[in-house]
Amino acid sequence: MIAQKYCTRSLFKWLSDDIVFISGLIKERNRLQAKEDERVMAVTIKDVAKKANVAPSTVSRVISDNPRISDATKKRVRKAMEELGYHPNVNARNLAIRSTQAIGVIMPSSAETSLQNPFFPEVLRGIGSMALETGYSLYVSTGGDDTQSFEEVKRMVYGNRVDGIILLYSRRNDPIMNFLVKEKFPFVLVGKPYKRESQITYVDNDNIQASKKVTEHLIELGHRRIAYLGGTTDLVVTTDRLDGYKQALLAAEIPINEKFIIHDEFLRSSGRKAVEKLFSFSEPPTAILVADDMMSLGVINMLEELGIECPEDVSITSFNNLYLSEITRPSLTTVDINIYSLGIQSAKSLIERLKSKDEPVKRVIVPFEIKYRNSTRALTE
Amino acid sequence: MIAQKYCTRSLFKWLSDDIVFISGLIKERNRLQAKEDERVMAVTIKDVAKKANVAPSTVSRVISDNPRISDATKKRVRKAMEELGYHPNVNARNLAIRSTQAIGVIMPSSAETSLQNPFFPEVLRGIGSMALETGYSLYVSTGGDDTQSFEEVKRMVYGNRVDGIILLYSRRNDPIMNFLVKEKFPFVLVGKPYKRESQITYVDNDNIQASKKVTEHLIELGHRRIAYLGGTTDLVVTTDRLDGYKQALLAAEIPINEKFIIHDEFLRSSGRKAVEKLFSFSEPPTAILVADDMMSLGVINMLEELGIECPEDVSITSFNNLYLSEITRPSLTTVDINIYSLGIQSAKSLIERLKSKDEPVKRVIVPFEIKYRNSTRALTE
DNA sequence: GTTATTTGGTAAATCGGTTGCACAAAAAGG
DNA sequence: CCTTTTTGTGCAACCGATTTACCAAATAAC
């Protein structure tokens, strides 16, 4: 029926209909536009100025509480602002003062996988809380692949989107970090720089020491066949923890077995693969030093599948003390690296740097603490 | 030895040392300042214009790939941009076009606790991936208390920091949502609005149905004393899930025992408290419907402490299917609400809305799926 | 009672873009 | 060959703040 109705219409009718329709649309849009404009066309500094009978510049000075303005005028202007519901436009402000009050947070490329690791939310939480306190906003890069990540950083830097950047990872020859250094863009690193250590402000744990201590613990428990399971080798944190591990072995005069050193991504799945490999050896390790709690999770899962008991057959120590390290069965002996504090400190350092250009380069070492739980036991065999 | 060295120095020596140090610092600062300015004084559209022998407006048109510019000119201008390493200043651009290419993400106040729940990182991941694809940036609110949260939203809205907002929670009479509605600011809600449902674009699961289904599952397993453990009552998700639970009980003609309905925050600790209470009854529940995986975690922990076996003594079903619901012992039977997809869809809806003002109000229902695992079992006693 | 200083405030330039309008030159039409 | 139209650019006015330089009135100094 409807079809028929349309079919009987002349072309002319169609056209005129269209015209009506279009004009209707335009009208509707204008109406919306008007309402929208009402919102968008917010009150400006000029409106306030007019209302308070002063110049815009005076209003600006009132905003920044400039002492050159008399209290009487200030009061008057503030009242006008209040009445008009004035809020300064950040874009205009940023343009004029060439600053945003925002800091960028860069996750390792592919937030896809990284946001999976509670490390990042936790450090974000620390950064966020500091940002909140100091009135900064947070811009987070959302990863993608390396190229996209880089593009995002460029957008942040070149586009003046942020005043400074926090890099949530440190790896060797990271193009993003090199870029930031080259551009002399203020940034701080969470983790230890691969090189140019003295020129980069960074916040880190003493991972070498932590790893050494925890390895020593295993050694004290009588373990000698200790495996190391770390993230990709280009991450500095991985190599640092490996170093600590080696130092402890050396000090205890235990030969280093390269087969016992495995690298993969900080994912749950990597842990699983590694376990399969380690226990295919005729003399498998009696203890594993895992460089990340998420990975340990995979390890534990896989051990269970393989029918290997932890800690009876193999001891595990881990890193990060994510909340999940308490809830695994067995709960994990892990190094609490104080992630939240890493976030706080990095934000703090960055903001200090932003506030005064000649803030010196800093290194902040956040203390760690080993949490002894149930995934390790003394070797008695 | 070192101490002595310092002590033997005269005051004068100290002072002069300091002076040298300071002047050195200043010199260093000037050098940095110069370089810094070099960076900040980035190439502008005018520089490009000059170099390409065109007007700034032309350059601007080249950037937006305006068809009115000839290809020849475009090529020339692009070359100039390339050579000068030109990148447009976002602030200026935003000021002119009255838009940022950014969307704000609001967590429930106190990200403190919310970032603890992997739900948020996961939904953030979805949003981020969509944002990346469409060239939007992400602004995340970092919580604090209610007031601070509100302030941040105001800053985003009034300050023109973002084009639109995604609210990651829905609760009744949320001042922030009311504010956004009042201001006619584009936003989408993750969750179901408490009221004005037809006027708000939102993305949600059918929580009532999901809850009903999972309750029915428990009933089918023979359970009749089923407890419900949900978040604070002002969260719509809590009440929806409670509704589904009640509907299922009613349909099965099981009387509703108000003592078996407990509300608290979506925290691990809340789960623990609730368990204590539930098992202080003379007739404790044989099954618990928990509205959040994190909470379930607390429940499981507490059960273990109390020596109550799951699923032997009590069955548990949960919501969200966080990765941790697989690794708990027992693994959790839980409703997979497809968090990532919630993120994707909410970002998509918002961006559509931003691209065309008269995009209609939408409701997107993300499907759920029950994951049957080991925390439930048939009641045989 | 002049002149020198403060004090309080304004006008206008600037930040780095976008965009409506005017206006030549080139192409099309008559 | 002279209009008319199209095509390609430039001019100038914004966007909404900050900030420099300058000025008038009030106060202080001589």
PDB file of all heavy atoms in Angstrom, chain A residues 236-257:
ATOM      1  N   VAL A 236      64.097  -3.018  30.206  1.00  0.00           N
ATOM      2  CA  VAL A 236      65.183  -2.871  31.165  1.00  0.00           C
ATOM      3  C   VAL A 236      64.864  -3.596  32.463  1.00  0.00           C
ATOM      4  O   VAL A 236      65.723  -4.197  33.091  1.00  0.00           O
ATOM      5  CB  VAL A 236      65.462  -1.380  31.429  1.00  0.00           C
ATOM      6  CG1 VAL A 236      66.519  -1.221  32.510  1.00  0.00           C
ATOM      7  CG2 VAL A 236      65.913  -0.699  30.151  1.00  0.00           C
ATOM      8  N   VAL A 237      63.622  -3.564  32.837  1.00  0.00           N
ATOM      9  CA  VAL A 237      63.241  -4.209  34.088  1.00  0.00           C
ATOM     10  C   VAL A 237      63.578  -5.704  34.046  1.00  0.00           C
ATOM     11  O   VAL A 237      64.016  -6.298  35.040  1.00  0.00           O
ATOM     12  CB  VAL A 237      61.741  -3.983  34.384  1.00  0.00           C
ATOM     13  CG1 VAL A 237      60.864  -4.559  33.292  1.00  0.00           C
ATOM     14  CG2 VAL A 237      61.358  -4.562  35.722  1.00  0.00           C
ATOM     15  N   THR A 238      63.409  -6.267  32.883  1.00  0.00           N
ATOM     16  CA  THR A 238      63.725  -7.682  32.726  1.00  0.00           C
ATOM     17  C   THR A 238      65.202  -7.961  32.930  1.00  0.00           C
ATOM     18  O   THR A 238      65.598  -8.878  33.646  1.00  0.00           O
ATOM     19  CB  THR A 238      63.351  -8.145  31.311  1.00  0.00           C
ATOM     20  OG1 THR A 238      61.961  -7.961  31.123  1.00  0.00           O
ATOM     21  CG2 THR A 238      63.699  -9.592  31.111  1.00  0.00           C
ATOM     22  N   THR A 239      66.013  -7.148  32.306  1.00  0.00           N
ATOM     23  CA  THR A 239      67.454  -7.382  32.404  1.00  0.00           C
ATOM     24  C   THR A 239      67.960  -7.055  33.806  1.00  0.00           C
ATOM     25  O   THR A 239      68.841  -7.731  34.330  1.00  0.00           O
ATOM     26  CB  THR A 239      68.205  -6.548  31.357  1.00  0.00           C
ATOM     27  OG1 THR A 239      67.794  -5.187  31.463  1.00  0.00           O
ATOM     28  CG2 THR A 239      67.872  -7.038  29.958  1.00  0.00           C
ATOM     29  N   ASP A 240      67.378  -6.040  34.402  1.00  0.00           N
ATOM     30  CA  ASP A 240      67.787  -5.711  35.769  1.00  0.00           C
ATOM     31  C   ASP A 240      67.517  -6.887  36.705  1.00  0.00           C
ATOM     32  O   ASP A 240      68.365  -7.268  37.514  1.00  0.00           O
ATOM     33  CB  ASP A 240      67.011  -4.491  36.275  1.00  0.00           C
ATOM     34  CG  ASP A 240      67.733  -3.195  35.955  1.00  0.00           C
ATOM     35  OD1 ASP A 240      68.754  -3.261  35.225  1.00  0.00           O
ATOM     36  OD2 ASP A 240      67.293  -2.139  36.429  1.00  0.00           O
ATOM     37  N   ARG A 241      66.335  -7.433  36.561  1.00  0.00           N
ATOM     38  CA  ARG A 241      65.994  -8.538  37.461  1.00  0.00           C
ATOM     39  C   ARG A 241      66.843  -9.756  37.145  1.00  0.00           C
ATOM     40  O   ARG A 241      67.209 -10.529  38.038  1.00  0.00           O
ATOM     41  CB  ARG A 241      64.485  -8.841  37.362  1.00  0.00           C
ATOM     42  CG  ARG A 241      63.671  -7.741  38.036  1.00  0.00           C
ATOM     43  CD  ARG A 241      62.177  -7.866  37.886  1.00  0.00           C
ATOM     44  NE  ARG A 241      61.537  -6.660  38.456  1.00  0.00           N
ATOM     45  CZ  ARG A 241      60.254  -6.381  38.352  1.00  0.00           C
ATOM     46  NH1 ARG A 241      59.429  -7.202  37.711  1.00  0.00           N
ATOM     47  NH2 ARG A 241      59.765  -5.276  38.889  1.00  0.00           N
ATOM     48  N   LEU A 242      67.175  -9.891  35.891  1.00  0.00           N
ATOM     49  CA  LEU A 242      68.055 -10.984  35.512  1.00  0.00           C
ATOM     50  C   LEU A 242      69.435 -10.784  36.131  1.00  0.00           C
ATOM     51  O   LEU A 242      70.051 -11.720  36.655  1.00  0.00           O
ATOM     52  CB  LEU A 242      68.158 -11.055  33.984  1.00  0.00           C
ATOM     53  CG  LEU A 242      69.061 -12.145  33.429  1.00  0.00           C
ATOM     54  CD1 LEU A 242      68.602 -13.526  33.884  1.00  0.00           C
ATOM     55  CD2 LEU A 242      69.115 -12.088  31.902  1.00  0.00           C
ATOM     56  N   ASP A 243      69.890  -9.549  36.091  1.00  0.00           N
ATOM     57  CA  ASP A 243      71.192  -9.235  36.665  1.00  0.00           C
ATOM     58  C   ASP A 243      71.247  -9.606  38.141  1.00  0.00           C
ATOM     59  O   ASP A 243      72.205 -10.217  38.615  1.00  0.00           O
ATOM     60  CB  ASP A 243      71.492  -7.739  36.521  1.00  0.00           C
ATOM     61  CG  ASP A 243      71.979  -7.412  35.116  1.00  0.00           C
ATOM     62  OD1 ASP A 243      72.132  -8.356  34.309  1.00  0.00           O
ATOM     63  OD2 ASP A 243      72.192  -6.230  34.834  1.00  0.00           O
ATOM     64  N   GLY A 244      70.215  -9.199  38.840  1.00  0.00           N
ATOM     65  CA  GLY A 244      70.174  -9.484  40.274  1.00  0.00           C
ATOM     66  C   GLY A 244      70.235 -10.981  40.522  1.00  0.00           C
ATOM     67  O   GLY A 244      70.961 -11.456  41.411  1.00  0.00           O
ATOM     68  N   TYR A 245      69.482 -11.677  39.724  1.00  0.00           N
ATOM     69  CA  TYR A 245      69.437 -13.138  39.815  1.00  0.00           C
ATOM     70  C   TYR A 245      70.832 -13.732  39.621  1.00  0.00           C
ATOM     71  O   TYR A 245      71.328 -14.522  40.426  1.00  0.00           O
ATOM     72  CB  TYR A 245      68.460 -13.620  38.752  1.00  0.00           C
ATOM     73  CG  TYR A 245      68.573 -15.045  38.276  1.00  0.00           C
ATOM     74  CD1 TYR A 245      67.976 -16.090  38.976  1.00  0.00           C
ATOM     75  CD2 TYR A 245      69.232 -15.336  37.078  1.00  0.00           C
ATOM     76  CE1 TYR A 245      68.034 -17.391  38.502  1.00  0.00           C
ATOM     77  CE2 TYR A 245      69.295 -16.627  36.586  1.00  0.00           C
ATOM     78  CZ  TYR A 245      68.705 -17.658  37.308  1.00  0.00           C
ATOM     79  OH  TYR A 245      68.755 -18.941  36.831  1.00  0.00           O
ATOM     80  N   LYS A 246      71.483 -13.240  38.568  1.00  0.00           N
ATOM     81  CA  LYS A 246      72.829 -13.756  38.287  1.00  0.00           C
ATOM     82  C   LYS A 246      73.803 -13.411  39.403  1.00  0.00           C
ATOM     83  O   LYS A 246      74.617 -14.237  39.819  1.00  0.00           O
ATOM     84  CB  LYS A 246      73.341 -13.179  36.963  1.00  0.00           C
ATOM     85  CG  LYS A 246      72.664 -13.797  35.743  1.00  0.00           C
ATOM     86  CD  LYS A 246      73.279 -13.258  34.454  1.00  0.00           C
ATOM     87  CE  LYS A 246      72.728 -14.004  33.236  1.00  0.00           C
ATOM     88  NZ  LYS A 246      73.093 -13.317  31.979  1.00  0.00           N
ATOM     89  N   GLN A 247      73.713 -12.193  39.868  1.00  0.00           N
ATOM     90  CA  GLN A 247      74.624 -11.781  40.945  1.00  0.00           C
ATOM     91  C   GLN A 247      74.477 -12.689  42.159  1.00  0.00           C
ATOM     92  O   GLN A 247      75.481 -13.104  42.756  1.00  0.00           O
ATOM     93  CB  GLN A 247      74.326 -10.335  41.359  1.00  0.00           C
ATOM     94  CG  GLN A 247      74.842  -9.314  40.362  1.00  0.00           C
ATOM     95  CD  GLN A 247      74.582  -7.889  40.825  1.00  0.00           C
ATOM     96  OE1 GLN A 247      74.368  -7.649  42.017  1.00  0.00           O
ATOM     97  NE2 GLN A 247      74.604  -6.956  39.890  1.00  0.00           N
ATOM     98  N   ALA A 248      73.250 -12.990  42.474  1.00  0.00           N
ATOM     99  CA  ALA A 248      73.031 -13.843  43.648  1.00  0.00           C
ATOM    100  C   ALA A 248      73.607 -15.234  43.412  1.00  0.00           C
ATOM    101  O   ALA A 248      74.265 -15.802  44.292  1.00  0.00           O
ATOM    102  CB  ALA A 248      71.534 -13.925  43.958  1.00  0.00           C
ATOM    103  N   LEU A 249      73.381 -15.757  42.228  1.00  0.00           N
ATOM    104  CA  LEU A 249      73.920 -17.086  41.928  1.00  0.00           C
ATOM    105  C   LEU A 249      75.433 -17.082  42.004  1.00  0.00           C
ATOM    106  O   LEU A 249      76.049 -17.968  42.610  1.00  0.00           O
ATOM    107  CB  LEU A 249      73.476 -17.541  40.533  1.00  0.00           C
ATOM    108  CG  LEU A 249      71.985 -17.854  40.316  1.00  0.00           C
ATOM    109  CD1 LEU A 249      71.791 -18.579  39.004  1.00  0.00           C
ATOM    110  CD2 LEU A 249      71.405 -18.680  41.458  1.00  0.00           C
ATOM    111  N   LEU A 250      76.014 -16.076  41.390  1.00  0.00           N
ATOM    112  CA  LEU A 250      77.465 -15.970  41.397  1.00  0.00           C
ATOM    113  C   LEU A 250      78.001 -15.913  42.813  1.00  0.00           C
ATOM    114  O   LEU A 250      78.950 -16.625  43.173  1.00  0.00           O
ATOM    115  CB  LEU A 250      77.918 -14.728  40.627  1.00  0.00           C
ATOM    116  CG  LEU A 250      77.901 -14.885  39.103  1.00  0.00           C
ATOM    117  CD1 LEU A 250      78.218 -13.548  38.420  1.00  0.00           C
ATOM    118  CD2 LEU A 250      78.906 -15.948  38.669  1.00  0.00           C
ATOM    119  N   ALA A 251      77.381 -15.067  43.597  1.00  0.00           N
ATOM    120  CA  ALA A 251      77.830 -14.906  44.977  1.00  0.00           C
ATOM    121  C   ALA A 251      77.756 -16.236  45.724  1.00  0.00           C
ATOM    122  O   ALA A 251      78.576 -16.520  46.602  1.00  0.00           O
ATOM    123  CB  ALA A 251      76.981 -13.851  45.686  1.00  0.00           C
ATOM    124  N   ALA A 252      76.776 -17.049  45.367  1.00  0.00           N
ATOM    125  CA  ALA A 252      76.618 -18.337  46.046  1.00  0.00           C
ATOM    126  C   ALA A 252      77.379 -19.441  45.314  1.00  0.00           C
ATOM    127  O   ALA A 252      77.256 -20.615  45.656  1.00  0.00           O
ATOM    128  CB  ALA A 252      75.131 -18.690  46.129  1.00  0.00           C
ATOM    129  N   GLU A 253      78.111 -19.007  44.304  1.00  0.00           N
ATOM    130  CA  GLU A 253      78.908 -19.949  43.513  1.00  0.00           C
ATOM    131  C   GLU A 253      78.072 -21.064  42.891  1.00  0.00           C
ATOM    132  O   GLU A 253      78.491 -22.219  42.832  1.00  0.00           O
ATOM    133  CB  GLU A 253      80.033 -20.515  44.356  1.00  0.00           C
ATOM    134  CG  GLU A 253      81.011 -19.413  44.740  1.00  0.00           C
ATOM    135  CD  GLU A 253      82.188 -19.927  45.542  1.00  0.00           C
ATOM    136  OE1 GLU A 253      82.075 -21.028  46.105  1.00  0.00           O
ATOM    137  OE2 GLU A 253      83.210 -19.234  45.576  1.00  0.00           O
ATOM    138  N   ILE A 254      76.897 -20.669  42.443  1.00  0.00           N
ATOM    139  CA  ILE A 254      76.072 -21.613  41.702  1.00  0.00           C
ATOM    140  C   ILE A 254      76.252 -21.288  40.223  1.00  0.00           C
ATOM    141  O   ILE A 254      76.089 -20.130  39.818  1.00  0.00           O
ATOM    142  CB  ILE A 254      74.589 -21.437  42.077  1.00  0.00           C
ATOM    143  CG1 ILE A 254      74.387 -21.701  43.572  1.00  0.00           C
ATOM    144  CG2 ILE A 254      73.699 -22.333  41.224  1.00  0.00           C
ATOM    145  CD1 ILE A 254      72.985 -21.437  44.061  1.00  0.00           C
ATOM    146  N   PRO A 255      76.611 -22.239  39.434  1.00  0.00           N
ATOM    147  CA  PRO A 255      76.820 -21.987  38.013  1.00  0.00           C
ATOM    148  C   PRO A 255      75.503 -21.559  37.352  1.00  0.00           C
ATOM    149  O   PRO A 255      74.422 -22.043  37.723  1.00  0.00           O
ATOM    150  CB  PRO A 255      77.304 -23.315  37.458  1.00  0.00           C
ATOM    151  CG  PRO A 255      76.848 -24.329  38.437  1.00  0.00           C
ATOM    152  CD  PRO A 255      76.857 -23.656  39.776  1.00  0.00           C
ATOM    153  N   ILE A 256      75.626 -20.671  36.384  1.00  0.00           N
ATOM    154  CA  ILE A 256      74.423 -20.200  35.705  1.00  0.00           C
ATOM    155  C   ILE A 256      74.109 -21.104  34.520  1.00  0.00           C
ATOM    156  O   ILE A 256      74.951 -21.338  33.659  1.00  0.00           O
ATOM    157  CB  ILE A 256      74.623 -18.749  35.241  1.00  0.00           C
ATOM    158  CG1 ILE A 256      74.633 -17.836  36.476  1.00  0.00           C
ATOM    159  CG2 ILE A 256      73.513 -18.334  34.281  1.00  0.00           C
ATOM    160  CD1 ILE A 256      75.119 -16.450  36.213  1.00  0.00           C
ATOM    161  N   ASN A 257      72.922 -21.617  34.538  1.00  0.00           N
ATOM    162  CA  ASN A 257      72.485 -22.506  33.468  1.00  0.00           C
ATOM    163  C   ASN A 257      71.617 -21.718  32.492  1.00  0.00           C
ATOM    164  O   ASN A 257      70.497 -21.343  32.814  1.00  0.00           O
ATOM    165  CB  ASN A 257      71.696 -23.659  34.091  1.00  0.00           C
ATOM    166  CG  ASN A 257      71.224 -24.640  33.043  1.00  0.00           C
ATOM    167  OD1 ASN A 257      71.271 -24.364  31.849  1.00  0.00           O
ATOM    168  ND2 ASN A 257      70.761 -25.796  33.504  1.00  0.00           N
TER     169      ASN A 257
END
